[in-house]
């Protein structure tokens, strides 16, 4: 069929379909994989998505990001929706998954980091790859150490230094960046559970400075629901009674962070006036608690344990 005007678009297989027809992210990946030669593989965000990365939606700056095919040559030309990488690719870098040839998760992540000219986005990519237990910090660090000559490898080293395996959303990663870079406060722990002195779970703040006693929460639009809002306030009350100082970042603060920075400094000042001896909270796990703060810990869980201990990880960013 001949395409006429903007009402039609051409797929990677040469077919024309209505431009308004929506494609899933997975469909875009499959269409791109159809043109792969036997020695190539999908890499970058698309490989991470295909391997289970729930946060990799294939969008960047409001537009669809192309699916990258790692070929090591120019045997296939780039086309709408498909980018070509001619960088070296060892056979061991390819790990077929669910019927498609993809690069390993660490390779795909490092590829995306090296070609993303944004430190904040690179860090969010790494943290969200860890969210789904695709790549651990040590796995990324090992690949970075083995790849000293690659373009953009310096960005990979920076990400390894800042990566956290227990962030639950890109917004939390951005909040952590503001906390450290803009506010100049110590790097906080991500989603570290807090208990009272009897071992009861008080809550799991998005960010926590265990030395100062400041707990940070990112309140997205999801937190505006009346029931969710009530639970948030009850948790804040529990934190305050125990001696923690809570502070919230709201939607819009990431783009214009100065109001949050001021609130954070105020929270640190209040926390500094609290005697350490009055603290009725701890971050040491009681015997009944199963820690899930690292990729290794989560990978070791059984399916039943995952359904029990990871159910609280909400995509609330």
């Amino acid at each position: 069929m001949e395409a006429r005007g903007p009402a039609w678009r051409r797929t990677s297989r040469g077919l024309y379909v209505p431009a308004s027809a929506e494609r899933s992210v997975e469909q875009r990946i499959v269409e791109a994989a159809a043109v792969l030669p036997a020695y190539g593989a999908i890499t970058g965000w698309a490989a991470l998505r295909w391997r289970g990365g729930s946060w990799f939606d294939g969008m960047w700056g409001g537009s669809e990001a192309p699916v990258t095919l790692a070929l090591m040559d120019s045997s296939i030309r780039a086309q709408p929706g498909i980018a070509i990488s001619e960088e070296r690719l060892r056979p061991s870098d390819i790990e077929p998954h669910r019927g498609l040839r993809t690069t390993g998760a660490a390779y795909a992540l490092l590829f995306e980091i090296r070609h993303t000219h944004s430190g904040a986005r690179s860090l969010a990519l790494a943290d969200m790859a860890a969210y789904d237990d695709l790549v651990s910090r040590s796995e990324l660090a090992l690949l970075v150490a083995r790849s000293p000559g690659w373009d953009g490898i310096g960005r990979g080293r920076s990400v390894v230094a800042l990566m956290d395996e227990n962030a639950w959303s890109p917004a939390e990663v951005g909040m952590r960046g503001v906390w450290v870079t803009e506010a100049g406060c110590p790097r906080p722990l991500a989603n570290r559970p807090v208990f009272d002195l009897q071992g009861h779970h008080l809550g799991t703040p998005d960010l926590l400075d265990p030395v100062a006693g400041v707990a940070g929460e990112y309140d997205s639009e999801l937190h505006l629901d009346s029931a969710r809002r009530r639970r948030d306030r009850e948790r804040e009350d529990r934190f305050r009674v125990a001696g923690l100082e809570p502070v919230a970042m709201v939607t819009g603060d990431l783009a214009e962070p100065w109001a949050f920075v001021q609130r954070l400094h105020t929270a640190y000042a209040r926390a500094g006036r609290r005697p350490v001896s009055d603290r009725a909270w701890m971050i040491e796990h009681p015997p009944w608690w199963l820690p899930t703060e690292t990729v290794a810990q989560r990978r070791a869980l059984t399916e039943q344990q995952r359904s029990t201990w990871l159910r609280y990880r909400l995509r609330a960013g």
Side-chain angles (χ1 to χ4, degrees), residues 4-53:
R4 297 181 182 275
W8 298 87
R9 62 174 173 83
R10 187 177 186 273
T11 71
S12 61
R13 292 188 176 186
L15 302 176
Y16 286 95
V17 299
S20 59
E22 294 186 359
R23 294 179 299 166
S24 67
V25 180
E26 286 72 21
Q27 183 179 353
R28 288 175 54 205
I29 296 171
V30 170
E31 288 182 0
V35 304
L36 271 174
Y39 54 84
I42 294 169
T43 194
W45 70 265
L48 293 167
R49 173 72 178 211
W50 192 255
R51 301 177 75 86

Coordinates of all heavy atoms in Angstrom, one line a residue, residues 4-53:
R4 N 0.1 7.8 1.8 CA -0.4 9.1 1.3 C -0.6 10.0 2.5 O -1.5 9.8 3.3 CB -1.7 8.9 0.5 CG -1.5 8.1 -0.7 CD -2.8 8.0 -1.5 NE -2.7 7.1 -2.7 CZ -2.3 7.5 -3.8 NH1 -1.9 8.8 -4.0 NH2 -2.2 6.7 -4.8
G5 N 0.3 11.1 2.6 CA 0.1 12.1 3.6 C 0.4 11.5 5.0 O 0.9 10.4 5.2
P6 N 0.2 12.4 6.0 CA 0.6 12.1 7.4 C -0.3 11.1 8.1 O -0.1 10.7 9.2 CB 0.5 13.4 8.1 CG -0.5 14.2 7.3 CD -0.4 13.7 5.9
A7 N -1.4 10.6 7.4 CA -2.3 9.7 8.1 C -1.7 8.3 8.2 O -2.3 7.4 8.8 CB -3.6 9.6 7.3
W8 N -0.6 8.0 7.5 CA 0.0 6.7 7.5 C 1.4 6.7 8.0 O 2.1 7.7 7.8 CB 0.0 6.0 6.1 CG -1.4 5.9 5.6 CD1 -2.2 6.8 4.9 CD2 -2.3 4.7 5.7 NE1 -3.4 6.3 4.6 CE2 -3.5 5.0 5.1 CE3 -2.1 3.5 6.3 CZ2 -4.5 4.1 5.0 CZ3 -3.1 2.6 6.2 CH2 -4.3 2.9 5.6
R9 N 1.9 5.6 8.6 CA 3.3 5.5 8.9 C 3.8 4.2 8.5 O 3.1 3.2 8.4 CB 3.5 5.7 10.5 CG 2.8 4.6 11.3 CD 3.2 4.8 12.8 NE 2.4 3.9 13.6 CZ 2.8 2.6 13.8 NH1 3.8 2.1 13.2 NH2 2.0 1.9 14.6
R10 N 5.1 4.1 8.2 CA 5.8 2.9 7.7 C 6.4 2.2 8.9 O 7.2 2.7 9.6 CB 6.8 3.2 6.7 CG 7.4 2.0 6.0 CD 8.4 2.5 4.9 NE 8.9 1.4 4.1 CZ 9.9 0.7 4.3 NH1 10.6 0.9 5.4 NH2 10.3 -0.3 3.5
T11 N 6.1 0.9 9.1 CA 6.7 0.1 10.2 C 8.1 -0.4 9.7 O 8.5 -0.3 8.5 CB 5.9 -1.1 10.5 OG1 5.9 -2.1 9.4 CG2 4.4 -0.7 10.8
S12 N 8.9 -0.9 10.6 CA 10.2 -1.4 10.3 C 10.2 -2.6 9.3 O 11.2 -2.9 8.7 CB 11.0 -1.8 11.6 OG 10.3 -2.9 12.3
R13 N 9.0 -3.2 9.2 CA 8.9 -4.3 8.2 C 8.4 -3.9 6.9 O 8.1 -4.7 6.0 CB 7.9 -5.4 8.8 CG 8.4 -6.1 10.0 CD 7.5 -7.2 10.4 NE 8.0 -8.0 11.5 CZ 7.5 -9.1 12.0 NH1 6.4 -9.6 11.4 NH2 8.0 -9.7 13.0
G14 N 8.3 -2.5 6.7 CA 7.9 -2.0 5.4 C 6.4 -1.9 5.2 O 5.9 -1.6 4.1
L15 N 5.6 -2.2 6.3 CA 4.2 -2.1 6.2 C 3.7 -0.7 6.5 O 4.3 0.0 7.3 CB 3.6 -3.2 7.1 CG 4.0 -4.6 6.9 CD1 3.3 -5.5 8.0 CD2 3.5 -5.1 5.5
Y16 N 2.6 -0.3 5.9 CA 2.0 1.0 6.2 C 0.7 0.7 7.1 O -0.1 -0.1 6.7 CB 1.7 1.7 5.0 CG 2.9 2.3 4.3 CD1 3.5 1.6 3.3 CD2 3.4 3.5 4.7 CE1 4.7 2.1 2.7 CE2 4.6 4.0 4.1 CZ 5.2 3.3 3.1 OH 6.3 3.8 2.5
V17 N 0.7 1.4 8.2 CA -0.5 1.3 9.1 C -0.9 2.7 9.4 O -0.2 3.7 9.2 CB -0.1 0.6 10.4 CG1 0.3 -0.8 10.0 CG2 1.0 1.3 11.1
P18 N -2.2 2.9 9.9 CA -2.6 4.2 10.3 C -1.7 4.9 11.3 O -1.3 4.2 12.2 CB -4.0 4.0 10.8 CG -4.5 2.7 10.2 CD -3.2 1.9 10.0
A19 N -1.4 6.1 11.1 CA -0.5 6.8 12.1 C -1.0 6.8 13.5 O -0.3 6.9 14.4 CB -0.2 8.2 11.6
S20 N -2.4 6.8 13.6 CA -3.0 6.9 14.9 C -3.0 5.5 15.6 O -3.3 5.5 16.8 CB -4.5 7.3 14.7 OG -5.2 6.4 13.9
A21 N -2.6 4.5 14.9 CA -2.6 3.2 15.6 C -1.5 3.1 16.6 O -0.3 3.4 16.4 CB -2.3 2.1 14.5
E22 N -1.9 2.8 17.9 CA -1.0 2.8 19.0 C -0.2 1.4 19.0 O -0.8 0.4 18.8 CB -1.7 3.0 20.3 CG -2.3 4.4 20.4 CD -2.9 4.6 21.8 OE1 -2.8 3.6 22.6 OE2 -3.5 5.6 22.1
R23 N 1.1 1.5 19.3 CA 1.9 0.3 19.4 C 2.4 0.2 20.8 O 2.8 1.2 21.4 CB 3.1 0.3 18.4 CG 2.7 0.3 17.0 CD 4.0 0.4 16.2 NE 4.7 1.6 16.4 CZ 6.0 1.8 16.0 NH1 6.7 0.8 15.5 NH2 6.6 3.0 16.3
S24 N 2.4 -1.0 21.4 CA 3.0 -1.1 22.7 C 4.5 -1.0 22.6 O 5.1 -1.1 21.5 CB 2.6 -2.5 23.3 OG 3.2 -3.5 22.5
V25 N 5.2 -0.8 23.7 CA 6.6 -0.7 23.7 C 7.2 -2.1 23.2 O 8.1 -2.1 22.4 CB 7.1 -0.4 25.1 CG1 8.7 -0.4 25.1 CG2 6.6 0.9 25.6
E26 N 6.6 -3.2 23.6 CA 7.1 -4.5 23.2 C 6.9 -4.7 21.7 O 7.8 -5.3 21.1 CB 6.3 -5.6 24.0 CG 6.7 -5.7 25.5 CD 6.2 -4.5 26.3 OE1 5.3 -3.8 25.9 OE2 6.8 -4.3 27.4
Q27 N 5.8 -4.2 21.1 CA 5.6 -4.3 19.7 C 6.7 -3.6 18.9 O 7.2 -4.1 17.9 CB 4.2 -3.8 19.3 CG 3.9 -4.0 17.8 CD 2.5 -3.5 17.4 OE1 1.8 -3.2 18.3 NE2 2.3 -3.5 16.2
R28 N 7.1 -2.4 19.4 CA 8.1 -1.6 18.8 C 9.4 -2.4 18.8 O 10.2 -2.4 17.8 CB 8.3 -0.3 19.5 CG 7.2 0.7 19.2 CD 7.5 2.0 20.1 NE 8.8 2.5 19.9 CZ 9.5 3.3 20.7 NH1 9.0 3.5 21.9 NH2 10.7 3.7 20.4
I29 N 9.7 -3.1 19.9 CA 11.0 -3.8 20.1 C 11.0 -5.0 19.1 O 11.9 -5.3 18.4 CB 11.1 -4.3 21.5 CG1 11.3 -3.1 22.4 CG2 12.3 -5.2 21.7 CD1 11.3 -3.4 23.9
V30 N 9.8 -5.7 19.1 CA 9.7 -6.9 18.2 C 9.9 -6.5 16.7 O 10.6 -7.2 15.9 CB 8.4 -7.6 18.4 CG1 8.2 -8.7 17.3 CG2 8.3 -8.3 19.8
E31 N 9.3 -5.4 16.3 CA 9.4 -4.9 14.9 C 10.9 -4.6 14.6 O 11.3 -4.9 13.5 CB 8.5 -3.7 14.7 CG 7.0 -4.0 14.7 CD 6.2 -2.7 14.4 OE1 6.8 -1.6 14.2 OE2 5.0 -2.8 14.4
A32 N 11.6 -4.0 15.5 CA 13.0 -3.7 15.3 C 13.8 -4.9 15.2 O 14.7 -5.1 14.4 CB 13.5 -2.7 16.4
A33 N 13.5 -5.9 16.1 CA 14.3 -7.2 16.1 C 14.1 -7.9 14.8 O 15.0 -8.8 14.5 CB 13.8 -8.0 17.3
A34 N 13.0 -7.7 14.1 CA 12.8 -8.4 12.8 C 13.8 -8.2 11.8 O 14.0 -9.0 10.8 CB 11.4 -8.1 12.3
V35 N 14.6 -7.0 11.9 CA 15.6 -6.7 10.8 C 17.0 -7.1 11.3 O 18.0 -6.9 10.6 CB 15.5 -5.2 10.5 CG1 14.2 -4.8 10.0 CG2 16.0 -4.4 11.6
L36 N 17.1 -7.7 12.5 CA 18.4 -8.1 13.0 C 19.1 -9.2 12.2 O 18.4 -10.2 11.9 CB 18.3 -8.6 14.4 CG 18.4 -7.6 15.6 CD1 18.1 -8.3 16.9 CD2 19.8 -6.9 15.6
P37 N 20.4 -9.0 11.8 CA 21.1 -10.2 11.3 C 21.4 -11.2 12.4 O 21.3 -10.9 13.6 CB 22.4 -9.5 10.7 CG 22.6 -8.3 11.6 CD 21.2 -7.8 11.9
A38 N 21.9 -12.3 12.0 CA 22.2 -13.4 13.0 C 23.2 -13.0 14.1 O 23.2 -13.6 15.2 CB 22.6 -14.7 12.3
Y39 N 24.1 -12.1 13.8 CA 25.1 -11.7 14.7 C 24.8 -10.5 15.6 O 25.6 -10.1 16.4 CB 26.4 -11.5 14.0 CG 26.3 -10.4 12.9 CD1 26.5 -9.1 13.2 CD2 26.1 -10.8 11.6 CE1 26.3 -8.1 12.2 CE2 26.0 -9.9 10.6 CZ 26.1 -8.5 10.9 OH 26.0 -7.6 9.9
G40 N 23.6 -9.9 15.4 CA 23.3 -8.7 16.1 C 22.4 -8.9 17.3 O 22.0 -10.0 17.6
A41 N 22.2 -7.8 18.0 CA 21.3 -7.9 19.2 C 20.7 -6.6 19.5 O 21.3 -5.5 19.2 CB 22.1 -8.4 20.4
I42 N 19.6 -6.6 20.2 CA 19.0 -5.4 20.7 C 19.7 -4.9 22.0 O 20.1 -5.8 22.8 CB 17.5 -5.6 21.1 CG1 16.7 -5.9 19.8 CG2 16.9 -4.4 21.8 CD1 15.3 -6.4 20.1
T43 N 19.9 -3.7 22.1 CA 20.6 -3.2 23.3 C 20.0 -1.9 23.8 O 18.9 -1.5 23.4 CB 22.1 -2.9 23.0 OG1 22.8 -2.8 24.3 CG2 22.3 -1.7 22.2
G44 N 20.6 -1.3 24.8 CA 20.0 0.0 25.4 C 18.7 -0.3 26.1 O 18.5 -1.3 26.7
W45 N 17.9 0.8 26.2 CA 16.7 0.7 27.0 C 15.8 -0.4 26.5 O 15.1 -1.0 27.4 CB 15.9 2.1 26.9 CG 15.3 2.3 25.5 CD1 15.9 3.1 24.5 CD2 14.1 1.8 25.0 NE1 15.1 3.0 23.4 CE2 13.9 2.3 23.7 CE3 13.1 1.0 25.6 CZ2 12.8 2.0 22.9 CZ3 12.0 0.7 24.8 CH2 11.8 1.2 23.4
A46 N 15.8 -0.7 25.2 CA 14.9 -1.7 24.7 C 15.2 -3.1 25.2 O 14.3 -3.9 25.5 CB 14.9 -1.7 23.2
A47 N 16.5 -3.4 25.4 CA 16.9 -4.7 25.9 C 16.5 -4.8 27.4 O 16.1 -5.8 27.9 CB 18.4 -4.9 25.8
L48 N 16.7 -3.7 28.1 CA 16.3 -3.7 29.5 C 14.8 -3.8 29.7 O 14.3 -4.6 30.6 CB 16.7 -2.4 30.2 CG 18.3 -2.2 30.3 CD1 18.6 -0.8 30.6 CD2 18.8 -3.2 31.3
R49 N 14.0 -3.2 28.8 CA 12.6 -3.4 28.8 C 12.2 -4.8 28.5 O 11.3 -5.4 29.2 CB 11.9 -2.5 27.8 CG 10.4 -2.6 27.6 CD 9.6 -2.1 28.8 NE 8.2 -2.3 28.7 CZ 7.3 -1.4 29.2 NH1 7.7 -0.4 29.9 NH2 6.0 -1.6 29.0
W50 N 12.8 -5.4 27.5 CA 12.5 -6.8 27.1 C 12.8 -7.8 28.2 O 12.2 -8.8 28.4 CB 13.2 -7.1 25.8 CG 12.7 -8.4 25.2 CD1 13.3 -9.6 25.2 CD2 11.4 -8.5 24.5 NE1 12.5 -10.5 24.5 CE2 11.3 -9.9 24.1 CE3 10.4 -7.7 24.2 CZ2 10.2 -10.4 23.4 CZ3 9.3 -8.2 23.5 CH2 9.2 -9.5 23.1
R51 N 13.8 -7.4 29.0 CA 14.3 -8.3 30.1 C 13.6 -8.1 31.4 O 13.9 -8.7 32.4 CB 15.8 -8.2 30.3 CG 16.6 -8.5 29.0 CD 18.1 -8.3 29.2 NE 18.6 -9.3 30.0 CZ 19.1 -10.5 29.5 NH1 19.0 -10.7 28.2 NH2 19.6 -11.4 30.3
G52 N 12.5 -7.2 31.4 CA 11.7 -7.0 32.5 C 11.8 -5.7 33.2 O 11.2 -5.5 34.3
G53 N 12.4 -4.7 32.6 CA 12.6 -3.4 33.2 C 11.3 -2.6 33.1 O 11.0 -2.0 32.0

